[in-house]
Amino acid sequence: MVTLAEVAQHAGVSASTVSYVLSGKRSISMATRERVERSIQQLGYHPNAGARALASSRSNIIALMVPLRTDMYVPVMMEIAIAVATTARAHGYDVLLLTGEEGPAAVRRIAGSSLADAMILMDVELHDERLPLLLETERAAVLIGLPAETDGLTCVDLDFEATGALCVEHLAGLGHREIAVIGEAAAVYDRHTGFAERTMDGVRTKAQQTGVRVLHRPCDGGYAAMERTLARIFDERPGTTGFIVQNESAVEPLLNLLRQQGRAVPEDVSVVAICPQQLASEASVRLTSVAIPAQEMGRRAVEQVVAKLGGRGTDEVELLAPELTIRASSGPAPVR
Amino acid sequence: MVTLAEVAQHAGVSASTVSYVLSGKRSISMATRERVERSIQQLGYHPNAGARALASSRSNIIALMVPLRTDMYVPVMMEIAIAVATTARAHGYDVLLLTGEEGPAAVRRIAGSSLADAMILMDVELHDERLPLLLETERAAVLIGLPAETDGLTCVDLDFEATGALCVEHLAGLGHREIAVIGEAAAVYDRHTGFAERTMDGVRTKAQQTGVRVLHRPCDGGYAAMERTLARIFDERPGTTGFIVQNESAVEPLLNLLRQQGRAVPEDVSVVAICPQQLASEASVRLTSVAIPAQEMGRRAVEQVVAKLGGRGTDEVELLAPELTIRASSGPAPVR
DNA sequence: CTGAAAGCGCTAACAG
DNA sequence: CTGTTAGCGCTTTCAG
């Protein structure tokens, strides 16, 4: 292990000079800087993370709490996590991966031990147990998702309310008058995850404005569940011509079943999905969709966190505007 | 920030005593132990991670390098990552999330800075650039995946060779004489990711033994790619009755296209998948499959790493035995 | 069974 | 522009 002292000696300067060359926190003459840098290279020096953290009380680590559950669409989580990790690196931070398993205790542990300078929480529930602790700790934090009460919190999320409205608007504009929303698994609603409910708020409001009738059905993944759900929908509302799907693992089952039942997409029924762009364009019917901007969310969360750590804090809710891309799954409502 | 010194004072003992209460590295009288523990509770003390790392030269952090690419099946990666994180916590370690982005440099950085005590590498290529560095650093490390040269390395992986053989054996046993393997995207093979090639080794060997003809075609995800691939296969080998699919995003397209072409599964063609259990059981046809034991792989990797850190090192290759589960997608070859 | 004290490697005043 | 020095909070000998 090469130490800073050894570098200093090798370069014929004091330890502090080496430190300042590294941090750039005071001006160094061209000559010594170069000498020091050469020594660093030659000796293969890397500053010791623990020592640095102790002395500066900054670990340059951001903790990321990902949900443990598997009933959410995993690729989105992963995409966010990767975006967080790469963006963090670009700002000189490493990312500590925490699973929801430890629950609120993790917040205490990380904050208490100064292991991380800041935290990013994913999969935030409306009344999340971790939030009170987070507010106590005084550590920089950003939520990906939106809880019921956002006072003193910084949040980043897709504007799901606008998303729901946008989907209804699109279908209504095409003349659809009866719409069914196929939602996440019931457990997601029970847990009061914000985004699912917010989407429905937007859907209902816009439906009222446009005079569209809406039916909302949670749905588990897989074919069996989808089959039951679909049967119920057409039972209760035979005139349904528009679908909004907010459940990645229901997309393909839905399309398959509609096909089996002889309902052509988009001639007989239109489908609008709320899902990652890739899924929408690779489905068996290229789906009109509102994309979930996973990368953007991860990136913005880190940028917010970094801003806070730099003192340029903003306790704000940042909602990303939804964008609807029209593909092959939506068209004019059939004339009856 | 409560410090150990404050706890010591509060409990009326020396700092070292508190430290030893925490580490259990020497015997403490019942009385003082309780007093100290009470003080820790009351003051809400958490040991400072940086100080601890500095003094003990152990960070209690395991670095996990996940691939940046998105052409691999993401849920498996995520499942491994989560298993790693939870298993690590159970052993008192936290997990640092590194993306492939930094490449080999990350190995140097982490090892050099003593940020992590050990590393787990995922998505190892046959001739991985990170391996030479890893061998130099003398840090504990475990690979998830199998490179060409495993000397001095500890690896955990599914036995893909046995997996390939097992799939062929199953189909051959059902009387299939012409088999097609639908593989990962061509890029995966170009990169010489070990598992894909090893699967084919097993497939070819067993095919030879059982007198089965094999055709291997890489395939990108999505319907368009699958359609081309399938057309080519039936062009070249019209008698193909068995499929082995090792590409999660090709599974559903394959099933759909076979259906469209009027080929019944499993009456006309049998399909065996190599994929996560969940995907197999939720597909539009319940798939006979060899499961990818993601959790088990993550768990074993951590256990190996922890063993190494504890001095009970084992430079070994641990291959998990494949298990084939028969579901509804495979059956006797049709009589011609 | 418990204390005292010497660092671990680095940062950041404080001096010049 | 550079050096000296006092810690950061903890672990771990060395004494007792």
Side-chain angles (χ1 to χ4, degrees):
Chain A
M1 274 280 347
V2 187
T3 70
L4 184 147
E6 293 174 313
V7 174
Q9 191 168 17
H10 181 107
V13 298
S14 75
S16 62
T17 298
V18 177
S19 176
Y20 284 119
V21 166
L22 254 35
S23 69
K25 285 188 182 173
R26 78 182 186 191
S27 38
I28 306 279
S29 76
M30 213 30 175
T32 60
R33 146 166 293 124
E34 277 178 1
R35 211 136 35 79
V36 169
E37 276 167 352
R38 200 141 3 93
S39 297
I40 290 178
Q41 287 301 321
Q42 284 180 33
L43 302 182
Y45 167 74
H46 282 271
N48 178 295
R52 185 171 257 188
L54 178 56
S56 65
S57 49
R58 271 169 154 292
S59 64
N60 280 293
I61 289 179
I62 296 171
L64 176 70
M65 288 191 70
V66 306
L68 193 58
R69 295 184 218 85
T70 175
D71 61 354
M72 298 291 304
Y73 191 57
V74 178
V76 174
M77 299 285 149
M78 191 73 173
E79 210 177 326
I80 293 178
I82 288 181
V84 165
T86 59
T87 311
R89 277 308 304 146
H91 289 271
Y93 288 88
D94 272 296
V95 169
L96 201 73
L97 182 69
L98 304 177
T99 62
E101 180 200 38
E102 259 181 295
V107 175
R108 241 196 230 93
R109 189 171 67 82
I110 299 303
S113 65
S114 298
L115 220 189
D117 299 332
M119 311 194 59
I120 295 177
L121 307 197
M122 295 176 61
D123 196 36
V124 177
E125 299 175 16
L126 278 182
H127 299 280
D128 203 296
E129 294 178 274
R130 299 167 294 184
L131 299 184
L133 282 172
L134 209 62
L135 287 165
E136 277 174 26
T137 61
E138 295 286 330
R139 278 215 189 288
V142 171
L143 316 186
I144 297 183
L146 213 51
E149 182 54 71
T150 63
D151 268 20
L153 296 170
T154 304
C155 310
V156 173
D157 205 355
L158 173 62
D159 188 339
F160 279 99
E161 202 166 329
T163 300
L166 192 55
C167 292
V168 173
E169 192 172 37
H170 174 67
L171 290 172
L174 289 167
H176 297 270
R177 308 257 63 92
E178 306 229 5
I179 292 178
V181 178
I182 295 174
E184 302 281 356
V188 174
Y189 293 91
D190 293 345
R191 206 192 304 141
H192 294 295
T193 310
F195 79 94
E197 308 196 347
R198 276 154 46 218
T199 305
M200 285 315 299
D201 290 346
V203 164
R204 293 206 181 92
T205 306
K206 179 61 76 178
Q208 211 146 25
Q209 287 171 18
T210 53
V212 164
R213 292 223 297 172
V214 170
L215 204 64
H216 172 221
R217 292 288 173 266
C219 183
D220 291 317
Y223 280 81
M226 187 69 238
E227 198 157 8
R228 285 193 299 277
T229 305
L230 203 54
R232 271 184 62 201
I233 290 172
F234 281 122
D235 250 29
E236 300 176 50
R237 296 273 173 84
T240 300
T241 61
F243 285 90
I244 298 172
V245 203
Q246 181 173 214
N247 182 337
E248 287 79 0
S249 56
V251 164
E252 209 52 55
L254 173 63
L255 295 175
N256 266 306
L257 286 167
L258 289 173
R259 210 173 293 139
Q260 275 178 35
Q261 300 179 0
R263 301 183 200 261
V265 173
E267 289 78 2
D268 301 326
V269 291
S270 287
V271 177
V272 179
I274 302 170
C275 70
Q277 179 271 318
Q278 191 188 341
L279 185 66
S281 46
E282 282 189 1
S284 53
V285 179
R286 296 182 55 251
L287 291 169
T288 294
S289 75
V290 173
I292 295 180
Q295 298 215 18
E296 178 79 3
M297 285 161 68
R299 200 171 56 73
R300 286 302 300 150
V302 172
E303 286 170 355
Q304 294 266 23
V305 143
V306 170
K308 281 193 159 189
L309 289 173
R312 295 163 284 119
T314 53
D315 278 356
E316 278 184 359
V317 172
E318 176 173 356
L319 294 181
L320 306 178
E323 285 179 33
L324 186 138
T325 304
I326 299 178
R327 298 201 181 80
S329 68
S330 63
V335 279
R336 323 180 58 197
Chain B
M1 273 279 346
V2 188
T3 70
L4 183 149
E6 293 173 314
V7 174
Q9 192 170 15
H10 181 107
V13 298
S14 75
S16 60
T17 299
V18 177
S19 176
Y20 284 118
V21 167
L22 253 35
S23 69
K25 285 189 181 171
R26 78 182 186 191
S27 37
I28 305 279
S29 76
M30 211 33 174
T32 59
R33 145 166 292 123
E34 276 178 2
R35 209 137 35 78
V36 169
E37 276 168 353
R38 200 144 2 93
S39 297
I40 289 178
Q41 287 301 322
Q42 284 180 32
L43 302 182
Y45 168 73
H46 282 272
N48 179 296
R52 187 169 254 189
L54 178 55
S56 66
S57 47
R58 269 170 157 291
S59 63
N60 280 292
I61 289 179
I62 296 171
L64 175 70
M65 288 192 69
V66 305
L68 192 59
R69 295 185 218 83
T70 175
D71 60 354
M72 298 292 304
Y73 190 58
V74 178
V76 174
M77 300 284 149
M78 190 72 174
E79 211 178 325
I80 294 178
I82 287 181
V84 165
T86 60
T87 310
R89 277 308 305 147
H91 289 271
Y93 288 88
D94 272 296
V95 170
L96 200 74
L97 182 70
L98 303 176
T99 61
E101 182 200 38
E102 260 182 293
V107 175
R108 243 197 229 94
R109 189 171 67 83
I110 299 304
S113 65
S114 298
L115 220 188
D117 298 332
M119 312 194 59
I120 294 178
L121 307 197
M122 296 176 60
D123 196 37
V124 178
E125 300 176 15
L126 278 184
H127 299 281
D128 203 296
E129 294 179 275
R130 300 168 294 184
L131 299 186
L133 282 173
L134 209 61
L135 287 167
E136 276 174 29
T137 60
E138 294 287 330
R139 279 217 189 287
V142 170
L143 316 187
I144 298 182
L146 213 51
E149 182 53 70
T150 63
D151 269 20
L153 296 170
T154 303
C155 309
V156 173
D157 204 356
L158 174 62
D159 188 339
F160 279 99
E161 202 166 328
T163 299
L166 192 55
C167 293
V168 172
E169 193 171 37
H170 175 68
L171 289 172
L174 289 167
H176 297 270
R177 308 257 63 91
E178 305 230 5
I179 292 179
V181 179
I182 294 175
E184 300 282 355
V188 174
Y189 295 91
D190 292 346
R191 206 192 305 142
H192 295 296
T193 309
F195 79 93
E197 308 196 348
R198 275 156 44 220
T199 306
M200 286 315 299
D201 290 346
V203 164
R204 293 207 181 91
T205 305
K206 179 60 76 177
Q208 210 147 24
Q209 287 170 18
T210 54
V212 163
R213 291 223 298 170
V214 169
L215 204 64
H216 172 221
R217 292 288 172 266
C219 182
D220 290 318
Y223 280 81
M226 188 69 237
E227 198 157 9
R228 283 193 301 276
T229 304
L230 203 54
R232 269 184 62 200
I233 290 172
F234 281 122
D235 248 31
E236 300 176 50
R237 296 273 172 84
T240 300
T241 61
F243 284 90
I244 297 172
V245 203
Q246 180 173 214
N247 181 336
E248 287 79 1
S249 56
V251 164
E252 210 51 55
L254 173 64
L255 295 174
N256 266 305
L257 286 167
L258 289 173
R259 210 174 294 138
Q260 275 178 34
Q261 300 178 2
R263 303 183 199 261
V265 174
E267 290 78 1
D268 300 326
V269 290
S270 287
V271 177
V272 178
I274 301 170
C275 70
Q277 178 272 319
Q278 191 187 343
L279 185 66
S281 47
E282 283 189 0
S284 53
V285 179
R286 296 181 56 251
L287 292 170
T288 294
S289 75
V290 173
I292 295 180
Q295 298 216 21
E296 178 78 3
M297 285 160 68
R299 201 172 55 74
R300 286 302 301 149
V302 171
E303 286 169 355
Q304 295 267 22
V305 142
V306 170
K308 281 193 160 191
L309 288 174
R312 296 163 284 118
T314 55
D315 278 357
E316 278 184 1
V317 172
E318 176 173 357
L319 293 182
L320 305 178
E323 286 179 31
L324 185 138
T325 303
I326 299 179
R327 298 201 183 79
S329 68
S330 63
V335 279
R336 323 179 60 198

